[in-house]
C-alpha cells in the first residue's frame, strides 16, 4: 500500500528543489564553490528573467489591445447614437437627415463659415478701433 502524502512530505520536496542540500539554509552558510555550478545557476536565473520579461511584454500588449478594442466599441456606440438621433430626426417633418458620407464636406464648410464669421468680427473690431488709433496721430501733427 502507498502511504498518503503529508504536508511535511510536500515541504521536504520543495526544500530539496529550492536547496539541493538536505539542510535548510545550507547554501547560505556554505555556498557552492564550484564555478560550473554557479554558471549553471546564473544561466537558469537569466532564462527565468527573460521569460518573465517576455510575459510582461505580452501582458502589456494584451492590455493595450483591450484598451484599443474598448475605444473602438465606445466609438461605435457614439456613431450608433448619432444614427439613432438622425433616424428620430427623420420622423420630424421639415428637418433634413444628415448624410454620413458628407462629413468631410460639412466639416470644411463649417470651418469656412466659422473663419468668415471670425474675420467679420475682426474687421468690425478694427473699424471701431481705427478712429481711436487715429486721434493720437492727429494730436501729434497739431503739436508740430
Amino acid at each position: 500500500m502507498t502511504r498518503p502524502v503529508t504536508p511535511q512530505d510536500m515541504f521536504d520536496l520543495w526544500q530539496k528543489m529550492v536547496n539541493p542540500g538536505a539542510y535548510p539554509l545550507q547554501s547560505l552558510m556554505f555556498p557552492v564553490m564550484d564555478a560550473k555550478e554557479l554558471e549553471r545557476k546564473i544561466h537558469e536565473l537569466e532564462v527565468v528573467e527573460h521569460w518573465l520579461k517576455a510575459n510582461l511584454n505580452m501582458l502589456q500588449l494584451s492590455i493595450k489591445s483591450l484598451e484599443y478594442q474598448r475605444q473602438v466599441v465606445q466609438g461605435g456606440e457614439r456613431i450608433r447614437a448619432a444614427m439613432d438621433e438622425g433616424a428620430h430626426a427623420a420622423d420630424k417633418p421639415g428637418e433634413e437627415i444628415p448624410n454620413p458620407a458628407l462629413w468631410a464636406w460639412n466639416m470644411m464648410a463649417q470651418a469656412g463659415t466659422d473663419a468668415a464669421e471670425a474675420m467679420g468680427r475682426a474687421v468690425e473690431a478694427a473699424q471701431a478701433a481705427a478712429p481711436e488709433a487715429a486721434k493720437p496721430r492727429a494730436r501729434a501733427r497739431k503739436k508740430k
Side-chain angles (χ1 to χ4, degrees):
M1 283 181 100
T2 60
R3 72 181 238 280
V5 178
T6 65
Q8 183 64 37
D9 293 336
M10 295 300 291
F11 179 76
D12 290 340
L13 179 63
W14 178 81
Q15 189 69 22
K16 287 178 184 176
M17 286 176 16
V18 172
N19 187 3
Y23 304 102
L25 303 175
Q26 178 186 7
S27 63
L28 294 176
M29 294 186 300
F30 304 107
V32 178
M33 291 299 193
D34 185 22
K36 288 181 182 179
E37 185 70 19
L38 290 174
E39 285 294 324
R40 186 183 64 80
K41 285 187 178 188
I42 290 170
H43 180 69
E44 286 177 359
L45 292 175
E46 286 175 346
V47 168
V48 170
E49 177 188 15
H50 293 301
W51 181 79
L52 288 171
K53 283 182 180 177
N55 280 339
L56 176 64
N57 290 336
M58 290 298 292
L59 178 65
Q60 290 172 341
L61 180 65
S62 297
I63 289 170
K64 294 291 182 191
S65 174
L66 290 172
E67 287 174 350
Y68 175 74
Q69 289 177 7
R70 180 186 62 198
Q71 291 173 353
V72 167
V73 168
Q74 288 174 345
E77 290 171 355
R78 282 189 232 123
I79 291 172
R80 179 70 163 205
M83 289 175 66
D84 289 343
E85 185 177 306
H88 292 299
D91 296 340
K92 300 175 186 174
E95 290 189 24
E96 185 178 333
I97 301 172
N99 186 351
L102 297 176
W103 70 270
W105 178 259
N106 293 337
M107 184 179 69
M108 288 187 294
Q110 183 63 39
T113 55
D114 291 346
E117 289 173 4
M119 180 60 85
R121 288 191 300 268
V123 167
E124 289 172 3
Q127 287 174 347
E132 296 295 322
K135 287 180 185 177
R137 287 189 200 158
R139 289 182 194 151
R141 287 184 192 159
K142 287 180 183 178
K143 288 182 183 179
K144 289 183 182 181

